[in-house]
Amino acid sequence: MQVFDNRIYEIVEKGLQGKGLTEQETLELYRVPETSKEAAYIRWAGQDLSLRATDGIAEIHAQIGLNATTCPKDCLFCSFARVNDVRKGVYEVPKEEVFEYAKAYVEEGANLILMLTTASYKFDKLEDMVGSVREVIPADMPLLVNTEDLTLERAKRLKAAGAQGAYHAVRMREGVDTTIPVEERMQTFANLREAGLKLSTCVEPVGPEHTPEELTEATFRCISTNPMTAGVGRRISVPGTKVAERGMITDVANANMVAIYRLAVGLDYKLNCSANTAMTAASGANLAWAEVGTNPRDTVERTEHGGRGAAIERQRKMFQAGGWEVRQGPSQGWFD
Ligand code: SF4
């Protein structure tokens, strides 16, 4: 019979104290085979620590994709990337329909609303959309953007228009599988911070080719940005994209990574993403996304119509199955 690895046991026990792990310890956890008994222990520990860190409260953040216009940044995993030739021409969701999406999300119990655009969406339009959507949702509902890299001036304008934060990430193999330099991403983090916009980020999109060393580096880069939400999200293989043939990691592997992220960061962060399956929601992930409108992980015009788009009710049931209680009302801590 295989003997339980004592070193992994010690690292996990340290992680369970909630004070985080070193990069070396985190690397050793990322090296554990996903089907081993040690991995099962890591997943249990991730869940235990997350439940303690968050008082058992999970959240559902709601994304509205504003456009699907082909994007010149050419991230190889994205259906919007011009290089992938999956999408054609210009496509934008009309403003009235964005309002309807936002109002429906509020009624359904979303804890936060985020608007996503490609890098080809005009900034003035996004600024206007932030201000307009702000008026149709409750004043205490956090409103975020997920858009291209931002100068300080633009970050300040979005804040003034009514945004509380942004989703922004240094992608796995940024600058190699994308055309965006890592430094540009890092500058945006700094600009967001200076403008008073809070950060939601993630180690993503993770595929089978990414090494424990890359995952460790990305994990500690995320931690260094002091985000409101972070974790690990796997890459979805979108048919027609340049990296689809590299395949996807399993739910189990993603669940291990989510748990390791939690152990690495400790009790500090309240929201650990990405709870995209029951397995991850049982391994420490307490943040799930609902999606409507356009979606880079999808090829249909509206993701809620026959695509990947997850409805709030479905995510709520997933969390309940994992023993979580879903927060009622807006997510906390986004307003100054
Ligand atoms: S991930 Fe974002 S920046 Fe990259 S191609 Fe897609 S829309 Fe453009």
Side-chain angles (χ1 to χ4, degrees), residues 184-202:
E184 211 168 305
R185 299 302 209 182
M186 299 304 285
Q187 185 59 52
T188 298
F189 289 140
N191 294 340
L192 293 171
R193 200 177 312 119
E194 196 173 338
L197 290 168
K198 305 264 171 98
L199 178 67
S200 177
T201 190
C202 193

Side-chain angles (χ1 to χ4, degrees), residues 71 73-75 77-78 80-81 118 171 180:
C71 177
K73 300 294 180 184
D74 283 342
C75 306
F77 43 81
C78 172
F80 299 145
T118 73
R171 264 48 189 283
I180 306 165

Side-chain angles (χ1 to χ4, degrees), residues 6-246:
N6 229 11
R7 169 71 180 156
I8 298 303
Y9 179 78
E10 284 169 14
I11 295 172
V12 173
E13 285 299 303
K14 181 187 170 195
L16 282 166
Q17 291 170 19
K19 296 192 179 119
L21 298 175
T22 65
E23 290 194 38
Q24 177 59 31
E25 290 159 345
T26 303
L27 174 63
E28 288 179 57
L29 294 191
Y30 275 129
R31 283 182 176 151
V32 170
E34 69 191 69
T35 52
S36 63
K37 58 177 84 170
E38 288 82 1
Y41 183 55
I42 290 169
R43 291 195 296 274
W44 167 80
Q47 181 77 342
D48 184 71
L49 193 57
S50 266
L51 285 166
R52 282 194 275 135
T54 62
D55 298 325
I57 305 287
E59 293 192 11
I60 302 168
H61 293 185
Q63 173 179 294
I64 305 171
L66 298 187
N67 76 326
T69 308
T70 48
C71 177
K73 300 294 180 184
D74 283 342
C75 306
L76 299 182
F77 43 81
C78 172
S79 74
F80 299 145
R82 190 174 47 195
V83 69
N84 282 325
D85 201 24
V86 173
R87 309 277 186 168
K88 308 286 174 207
V90 176
Y91 179 80
E92 294 182 359
V93 178
K95 201 172 190 181
E96 283 306 317
E97 291 183 43
V98 175
F99 290 168
E100 292 313 311
Y101 279 143
K103 286 192 259 185
Y105 268 152
V106 171
E107 272 170 33
E108 290 163 20
N111 305 116
L112 174 151
I113 293 176
L114 172 142
M115 295 191 291
L116 169 142
T117 79
T118 73
S120 43
Y121 197 78
K122 292 264 180 304
F123 177 80
D124 291 359
K125 226 175 215 181
L126 176 62
E127 184 182 33
D128 174 63
M129 198 65 96
V130 166
S132 303
V133 169
R134 178 82 269 163
E135 284 173 16
V136 301
I137 61 175
D140 57 353
M141 173 65 71
L143 180 61
L144 270 63
V145 296
N146 178 357
T147 189
E148 66 175 325
D149 282 285
L150 292 167
T151 61
L152 178 58
E153 187 247 341
R154 286 188 169 189
K156 283 181 176 170
R157 279 168 64 183
L158 291 176
K159 166 93 173 167
Q164 280 66 53
Y167 179 88
H168 205 70
V170 176
R171 264 48 189 283
M172 299 304 292
R173 299 196 183 168
E174 191 82 82
V176 177
D177 286 345
T178 76
T179 62
I180 306 165
V182 171
E183 300 69 40
E184 211 168 305
R185 299 302 209 182
M186 299 304 285
Q187 185 59 52
T188 298
F189 289 140
N191 294 340
L192 293 171
R193 200 177 312 119
E194 196 173 338
L197 290 168
K198 305 264 171 98
L199 178 67
S200 177
T201 190
C202 193
V203 175
E204 57 102 353
V206 177
E209 73 275 24
H210 297 125
T211 64
E213 287 77 11
E214 288 176 288
L215 291 165
T216 303
E217 185 191 1
T219 295
F220 280 84
R221 189 163 43 216
C222 275
I223 292 172
S224 75
T225 62
N226 193 25
M228 296 285 286
T229 84
V232 185
R234 68 176 174 170
R235 181 177 66 228
I236 303 300
S237 279
V238 183
T241 56
K242 301 280 182 221
V243 296
E245 64 191 25
R246 292 187 198 164

